[in-house]
Amino acid sequence: MLKLPVSKIIENINSETCFYAVSDDYSFTIKIDEYVPYACGAVHDGHQFRKELWDNCLHTEYDRWYEEDPETKNMIVSHPIVIAGCDSRFEYDLNRAPDEAVFVTAWGKQLWKTPLPEAQKERSQEKHANFYRVVEALISKLEDKFGVCIVYDMHSYNWQRWDREVPTWNLGTSNVDNKRFGGSIESWRAILESIDLPKDIKQTAKINDTFQGNGYFLKFITNNFKNTLVLATEIAKVYCDEYNQVIYPEVVAAVENQLRDLLPKHAADFYKTFSS
């Protein structure tokens, strides 16, 4: 892995160079093993929280972990193009618009003991902006090269705090073109429902059941690129004990192993359908 400034990452993308890098401020990673018409993202995978914010934060380390999406990068790590956040969404949320990315409150609780100094807020906003500079360059390159593109936007959610039965997988599609891409959306839902998980975990996959796909990552790509479908894909945190902060690696591995084959097949079908 290389450590690269954003300008060099974008230069590599524009020249179709294959590389694996972390940004020079360690805020995100990007891997491109091959230029293919699909990409995977894990914007909430990160847990880093820079030290100058520690003493001012009212949320504990566990509070932050509980609302992040741990292991979502590992579920898609084998695919040719993967971009993932390294920083906690409590520092800045890559799935929120720039003016909303630095929280004042988080999940009903005040986040900071005292308001953030403007310089600290601006540092976080700059990281957010740099990430989206790279996303724009990446999707632009893939659309230019292939005509169409599909992005698998991986998330997780805390299923145990719901007071009803919720699906193992949820697809949020309220901000994509369902009329045009409905077949690909439904086929992805069926693929997710087919995944076999250990620990007798029930497999269900629904559309817009718990979340509707209102994240900024999806909206940014959808609003700027007319031939790219973003699939906001949420797995319930059945792969961990969300109350005791214990990861079940055998469940994470089961997801990764099956997506290694199933996801590229879905992407190939998408490309075959929409590239002509």
Side-chain angles (χ1 to χ4, degrees), residues 221-262:
I221 296 172
T222 301
N223 291 338
N224 287 286
F225 299 95
K226 300 307 178 187
N227 291 311
T228 297
L229 170 62
V230 183
L231 292 172
T233 304
E234 300 252 5
I235 182 173
K237 288 183 178 175
V238 294
Y239 63 88
C240 69
D241 181 335
E242 63 191 56
Y243 292 134
N244 292 298
Q245 201 170 350
V246 176
I247 297 291
Y248 304 144
E250 75 276 28
V251 181
V252 176
V255 173
E256 192 277 324
N257 287 339
Q258 290 167 82
L259 287 183
R260 189 181 303 174
D261 295 323
L262 295 170

Side-chain angles (χ1 to χ4, degrees), residues 45-103:
D45 184 75
H47 187 60
Q48 291 178 166
F49 194 67
R50 69 178 191 265
K51 190 172 183 179
E52 67 178 353
L53 303 174
W54 292 359
D55 291 341
N56 195 26
C57 185
L58 291 167
H59 288 238
T60 66
E61 186 272 341
Y62 168 75
D63 291 337
R64 299 195 298 272
W65 178 88
Y66 180 78
E67 299 294 351
E68 295 159 355
D69 297 349
E71 300 296 329
T72 47
K73 178 183 176 182
N74 282 335
M75 293 176 189
I76 52 174
V77 70
S78 62
H79 299 285
I81 303 176
V82 178
I83 187 167
C86 297
D87 293 327
S88 173
R89 64 192 304 192
F90 283 77
E91 182 177 335
Y92 57 95
D93 193 329
L94 288 170
N95 216 27
R96 304 284 180 97
D99 59 346
E100 301 173 347
V102 180
F103 297 158

